Amino acid sequence: MAQWIILLMIISAVLCFVVIALAVDRGWMDPIDNAILDSMGETVMSDDPWGPPWFEETVVEISALGGYPVIVLATVFAAIVLWLASRRTGAVLLVAALSSGALASTVLKLAFDRSRPDFAEPMDRTFTASFPSGHAMISMVSWMTLAVVVSCYVPRRGLRVFILCAAFLLAITIGLSRVYLGVHWPSDVFAGWCIGLAWAGTAWLIAHNKIGVYHERVY
C-alpha cells in the first residue's frame, strides 16, 4: 500500500510539473508570478529586501545548502560512509540520484531557456536559465534521497518520519530562499519541487525494494 501511495505521489508530481511547464511556455504564469512578487513588496522589488542585514545573510546561507558545492560534498561523504559500512546499494543510489537529477535539471533549463527576474538586483550570482529552479529541484532530490536511504537503516518509525520531514522542509526552505533573493520566479521553484519530488520518490521506491526497511525493535 505504501508503495502505491508513493507511486501516486510520483505521478501527481510529474503531472503538476507538466502543467506548470506548459503554462510557463505559453506565458500563462507570467501574471501570476508577477502578482506574487509584487505582493512581496521590497522583498524582491528593490535592492534593499525586507528584513535586517542578518536575515538577508541567513537566507543567502540557506540558499547555499541547495548549491552543488554543499550537496556534492554531502553526497560524497555520505556515500563513502555507506560504502565503508557495507551499505553499497545505498551509496550507489545516492550518487545515481544526484547525477541523474543534475543532468535532468541541466537539460530542462536548456530546453525552456527562461529568463530570470530582471526587475530587482539579485543577491546571488546566477549562470543558468531560470526554469526550473536548480536549487529547488536538486535540493529536493539530494536531501530527500539521502533521508530515504538513511531511514532504511533506522529502526524507529517515528525517527524515520522525522528524518524525511526534516529533509522535505529543508528543500522547501531552500526553494523559498531563491524567490527572496530575486533569482527565480515562484513558478520556477514550484516546478523544481515537483520534478525533484518525483525524482526522490523514484529513489524511494528503489531504496525500499533493494534495501528494505530496518525492522529491529528498539527498547
Side-chain angles (χ1 to χ4, degrees), residues 147-169:
V148 166
V149 171
V150 170
S151 69
C152 289
Y153 306 114
V154 173
R156 296 183 180 178
R157 182 182 180 185
L159 184 55
R160 292 198 297 268
V161 172
F162 173 79
I163 292 172
L164 293 170
C165 289
F168 180 76
L169 291 177

Side-chain angles (χ1 to χ4, degrees), residues 92-107:
V92 172
L93 181 59
L94 278 179
V95 175
L98 176 59
S99 301
S100 59
L103 178 61
S105 175
T106 301
V107 171

Side-chain angles (χ1 to χ4, degrees), residues 54-68:
W54 65 263
F55 182 77
E56 298 172 18
E57 185 63 26
T58 298
V59 175
V60 172
E61 293 176 356
I62 289 175
S63 178
L65 296 176
Y68 281 112

Side-chain angles (χ1 to χ4, degrees), residues 114-171:
R114 190 186 194 188
S115 299
R116 302 242 180 194
D118 58 359
F119 50 79
E121 183 68 25
M123 292 189 292
D124 193 15
R125 297 182 65 186
T126 57
F127 305 95
T128 59
S130 188
F131 185 91
S133 167
H135 276 67
M137 177 180 174
I138 296 302
S139 62
M140 187 68 76
V141 171
S142 59
W143 294 121
M144 282 298 294
T145 301
L146 178 59
V148 166
V149 171
V150 170
S151 69
C152 289
Y153 306 114
V154 173
R156 296 183 180 178
R157 182 182 180 185
L159 184 55
R160 292 198 297 268
V161 172
F162 173 79
I163 292 172
L164 293 170
C165 289
F168 180 76
L169 291 177
L170 175 60

Side-chain angles (χ1 to χ4, degrees), residues 11-66:
I11 295 173
S12 300
V14 171
L15 289 176
C16 284
F17 174 81
V18 171
V19 170
I20 297 171
L22 178 62
V24 167
D25 186 60
R26 300 293 177 84
W28 299 338
M29 289 302 301
D30 293 347
I32 299 175
D33 282 331
N34 282 307
I36 293 175
L37 295 182
D38 287 344
S39 69
M40 298 176 69
E42 289 188 350
T43 302
V44 292
M45 291 299 291
S46 74
D47 297 341
D48 185 23
W50 177 86
W54 65 263
F55 182 77
E56 298 172 18
E57 185 63 26
T58 298
V59 175
V60 172
E61 293 176 356
I62 289 175
S63 178
L65 296 176

